[in-house]
Amino acid sequence: MKHGIARRALGTAIVSGVTALAMSLGAGVSAADPVPQFTQQELTDYLNAGLRPATNGGQPRAIVDTGSSSGSGARSHATAAVGEGPEVSAYLAAFGYGLTHPDAAPPGANQANCTPSAAHPRPVVLVHGTWLNAYDTFAYLSPQLARAGYCVFAFNYGRSNLLEGGGIGPIMPGRYGVGPMEDSARQLGAFVDRVRSATGADRVDIVAHSQGGPVSSQYLKFEGGADKVDKVVTFGATHHGTSLMGMATLGRLITNLGVNILGFYEPIVGVANIQQAVGSSFYSILNEHGDTVPGIEYTAVGTRHDEVSNPYEWTFLQPGPDATVHNITLQDGCAQDMSDHLTIMYSPRSASIALHALDPDSAPNLECTFNPWMIGGSGKL
């Protein structure tokens, strides 16, 4: 990453899909490096050697939890987005509106009595990321999909407060996608079923951002979604977790060995953020038998300037049997697009990629414009 310190701090404060607090625990390890192995005793002895006596003279000791660290008991729920918000071309404007209208639907979405056309027979379901909502993620893309003739539907999943295990993020209005991703996948499944019932469509297409990627994969693999989805298009998705510049690996390593470092922070940052640390048990199960499911066409888009889903190549997918995967780097052929993790959803090029992925014949060309970091929308508010 080559962003300045101040710019990284601002982005991290409102990022989706990961938290700096949980990620600031260890040294960087690249995607290709082998993860070192330690016994619980070796690691505990190492930690204890670095602990200083407390002010009362007592000696703190590392606590080894030999049980499971994944059973948080957290819970969440989902709601449909209602009351259409305005169309905006920049992320910051959408974020501001989303704070004061946290349950707003993105423009063009959730239109009553929308009937899929013969040209576009599958409704498009939008899936936002962590600490975001349907409006501030899709206020730019949703109306373009609607104008192109798609029936568009959006909802807010993973809604959970501090007492429910959602962390402190939801204290700020509209910060959803914080509950366990397994629960969020079931919520996505229930929403897809409602969309199919309302439109009469047999299958839907999914467009997802950040955590919306692994939530969609969880739905496809474990919640019966494979027979109800045709195409999946993801942007900056945490398909394989995130290192936040490589600093998550040690924290996850310690937690997996039984010293529940990440679990200690869970009440602060929320379960979904913990699950998205690279190497978590969630990803071990999710990707155990490959990245894809048969019969689905995937398009995975990543940006080289992503400060959250990094290394950005981890947003890509390896195709398994009878699955088609298109991995796209946003800057290939368009170096002036400087989109980061959030503004990738406010990039004209991203919008054209989404339209092309859903129907190449009706949207054959990809746009290429300057899209500034953190602002988006070609700099327009």
Side-chain angles (χ1 to χ4, degrees), residues 18 40 122 240 246 262 273:
V18 72
Q40 286 191 359
R122 295 182 302 276
H240 301 100
L262 292 184
N273 281 310

Side-chain angles (χ1 to χ4, degrees), residues 23 29 241-249 276-278 308-311 314:
M23 299 300 103
V29 178
T242 176
S243 69
L244 195 62
M245 295 179 293
M247 292 189 294
T249 303
Q276 287 175 96
V278 59
V308 176
S309 293
N310 67 81
W314 289 358

